[in-house]
Amino acid sequence: MKNLILSIGLFTAVLFSGVSSAQTKRVPASYGREEYVEVEKNVKLHVTDLGEGQPIVLIHGWPLSDAMYEYQYAYFTQQGYRVIGITLRGFGLSDKPAGKYNYDVFADDIKVVLDKLNIQNATIGGFSMGGATVVHYVAKYKAAHVSKLALFGAAAPTWTKRADFNYGFWSKEDVDGLIQLNNTNRPQLLENFGKIFPANETSVSPGYGAWLGTIQAQASPYAMAEGLKTLRDSDLREDLKNITIPTLILHGKLDKICSYELAEQMHSLLKNSTLVPLEKSGHALFIEELDKFNSELLKFVKK
């Protein structure tokens, strides 16, 4: 009897030992994708990489981060797409080194990320300064990794007026004032931009406004100032002329930061572009007309 009990005990121990071993074996829960991608020594960019399927790459505007696309991530992953948001250096959760912050640097960084992720046949989209960035990326790298371009309230062809380009709202002197305010009272600069970001006082709820404010606060003050210099001094007209891939231009008719005139100028320079106005939107078109924004972008990606 004693030997029988001992045998049963040993059998039970072995049985449960096997179950325990099987239960504790680690099965990866993630897709195994990096959340931070090194683009040069000591500089890593934050990347949101969600879903599976044909890739859509999204670049944020000044002074936001890839977090601004929260409601595009949710929508497009449910539609069966892989959505990749890249936060430019100096913003959001990306590293914030001293150095250059211009469209060449931003384009080079995007190229490294897309190389490392082995992205092919993507739609690349950019908002505001991010729109100008993806214009330069596509032109500089001859549409490497991408087959379509989407521009959302883009700060192109040039954000500031000049002798041969009398469009938009901003003079170089205006932007110098913004840089000065950034370096002396950044909260006031963000508050001022918050007032002109939507079409009107009620088109973006206080909740959305607070959410965007938390994203902006993560930006490096140095990167913000350098980004304003890039917006002030860059001219992308030649880049736009050299782009031939299909391009979607989504732009708020009531935009007070990047005038709708800029969208019309981009449309005239891009050989293969479609301009879709968002009649009720200001610069915050990605939330002011969220459903239309997402559906128009989806229709373009599916073509």
Side-chain angles (χ1 to χ4, degrees):
M1 184 69 178
K2 189 174 181 180
N3 289 337
L4 177 62
I5 293 171
L6 181 61
S7 298
I8 292 171
L10 288 171
F11 174 76
T12 304
V14 170
L15 177 64
F16 280 95
S17 173
V19 171
S20 176
S21 176
Q23 287 174 338
T24 57
K25 185 177 180 181
R26 177 71 183 184
V27 177
S30 74
Y31 293 142
R33 301 171 188 167
E34 295 180 79
E35 188 175 358
Y36 292 89
V37 176
E38 187 171 56
V39 291
E40 66 178 59
K41 187 177 180 181
N42 299 325
V43 181
K44 291 184 177 181
L45 302 190
H46 180 263
V47 177
T48 297
D49 189 349
L50 302 172
E52 296 180 278
Q54 183 182 350
I56 301 170
V57 178
L58 299 173
I59 308 299
H60 63 90
W62 179 98
L64 295 161
S65 77
D66 79 84
M68 66 164 279
Y69 290 113
E70 178 174 340
Y71 304 105
Q72 283 66 53
Y73 297 141
Y75 179 80
F76 283 99
T77 54
Q78 290 170 6
Q79 296 293 327
Y81 291 88
R82 178 181 179 182
V83 195
I84 301 161
I86 302 171
T87 293
L88 302 172
R89 61 174 65 201
F91 299 91
L93 299 176
S94 288
D95 285 344
K96 301 170 175 63
K100 296 179 180 178
Y101 285 82
N102 58 41
Y103 295 140
D104 257 343
V105 171
F106 294 154
D108 293 346
D109 287 350
I110 292 168
K111 179 65 161 54
V112 173
V113 173
L114 299 186
D115 284 347
K116 289 189 173 184
L117 297 183
N118 193 29
I119 297 302
Q120 302 298 329
N121 196 36
T123 297
I124 190 167
F127 167 70
S128 197
M129 185 181 78
T133 296
V134 297
V135 164
H136 190 60
Y137 170 81
V138 171
K140 179 175 183 177
Y141 286 108
K142 296 179 172 56
H145 301 286
V146 307
S147 57
K148 293 180 180 178
L149 172 64
L151 303 172
F152 321 130
T158 169
W159 196 50
T160 49
K161 296 179 180 181
R162 48 199 72 202
D164 61 346
F165 191 86
N166 192 31
Y167 302 100
F169 300 120
W170 308 91
S171 68
K172 290 193 174 185
E173 292 72 25
D174 291 333
V175 183
D176 288 340
L178 298 176
I179 295 167
Q180 175 65 16
L181 189 57
N182 178 80
N183 294 339
T184 56
N185 191 346
R186 189 166 70 118
Q188 187 64 58
L189 174 65
L190 294 175
E191 182 181 336
N192 292 352
F193 263 80
K195 290 176 181 176
I196 61 174
F197 199 69
N200 55 61
E201 292 180 0
T202 60
S203 63
V204 171
S205 71
Y208 272 132
W211 166 66
L212 291 170
T214 62
I215 298 172
Q216 293 172 336
Q218 293 177 316
S220 153
Y222 174 82
M224 284 179 60
E226 294 301 305
L228 284 169
K229 292 174 188 176
T230 295
L231 285 161
R232 179 192 65 194
D233 299 336
S234 299
D235 185 343
L236 299 173
R237 283 177 283 185
E238 289 304 312
D239 281 354
L240 288 161
K241 291 176 186 177
N242 291 323
I243 292 172
T244 59
I245 61 174
T247 303
L248 172 67
I249 303 169
L250 297 178
H251 212 104
K253 287 293 291 286
L254 306 176
D255 196 322
K256 300 170 189 170
I257 293 175
C258 292
S259 164
Y260 190 75
E261 293 176 312
L262 299 185
E264 294 172 329
Q265 290 300 306
M266 286 186 283
H267 183 42
S268 70
L269 292 169
L270 285 159
K271 298 178 180 70
N272 191 10
S273 64
T274 302
L275 172 57
V276 178
L278 275 71
E279 302 286 346
K280 301 175 184 177
S281 291
H283 202 49
L285 69 169
F286 60 99
I287 49 176
E288 287 177 291
E289 292 184 73
L290 176 62
D291 290 343
K292 182 174 181 179
F293 181 96
N294 287 349
S295 62
E296 289 290 345
L297 182 54
L298 177 62
K299 185 165 64 175
F300 174 68
V301 171
K302 280 185 169 182
K303 279 184 181 177

